[in-house]
Amino acid sequence: MAYDEELAERIRGLLPDLPVTEKKMFGGLAFLVGGHMSVSASGKGGLMLRCDPDESEKLLAEPGASRMEMRGKEMDGWLRVTSEAVADDRELQRWVDIGTSYAASLPPK
């Protein structure tokens, strides 16, 4: 499945005033801050994003959020959020802010 181009465009419009690079990765279109993936229009639908691993459990209580699985292993600090959970621009903005804030806190690559 190709990533949702409309979702990618919505993400572009909500990005903070940070230098952001777009890159196709993980089957979607990722938005990188300081060389780190922050949020992505996922090729599996919805969002994929990075967050503080210590915040993973709290964020998993949010509607539509689940841990991302990499190579058969669930990873703290990497989440998926369903399309339904980000249909509202305020909710999408909140998730974009979580991903970009965390990526911006990491040392640049």
Side-chain angles (χ1 to χ4, degrees), residues 5-98:
E5 292 185 29
E6 182 180 323
L7 177 59
E9 192 59 37
R10 287 176 60 215
I11 293 168
R12 277 187 199 102
L14 298 174
L15 291 168
D17 190 24
L18 294 169
V20 175
T21 305
E22 295 182 19
K23 183 176 182 179
K24 289 184 180 180
M25 56 191 306
F26 302 119
L29 182 65
F31 298 88
L32 287 72
V33 175
H36 299 280
M37 200 285 283
S38 63
V39 64
S40 172
S42 175
K44 294 183 178 183
L47 289 181
M48 182 175 73
L49 72 133
R50 291 199 59 188
C51 66
D52 183 335
D54 294 336
E55 296 290 313
S56 293
E57 281 301 319
K58 180 180 92 171
L59 293 171
L60 287 168
E62 299 287 334
S66 62
R67 274 194 182 86
M68 188 175 138
E69 190 177 301
M70 290 185 189
R71 297 185 181 132
K73 183 178 177 187
E74 291 184 342
M75 306 286 292
D76 282 336
W78 293 86
L79 301 178
R80 288 199 175 278
V81 182
T82 64
S83 296
E84 296 79 19
V86 293
D88 176 83
D89 284 341
R90 279 193 320 223
E91 283 303 306
L92 178 59
Q93 180 72 68
R94 195 169 68 77
W95 288 109
V96 167
D97 289 347
I98 290 167

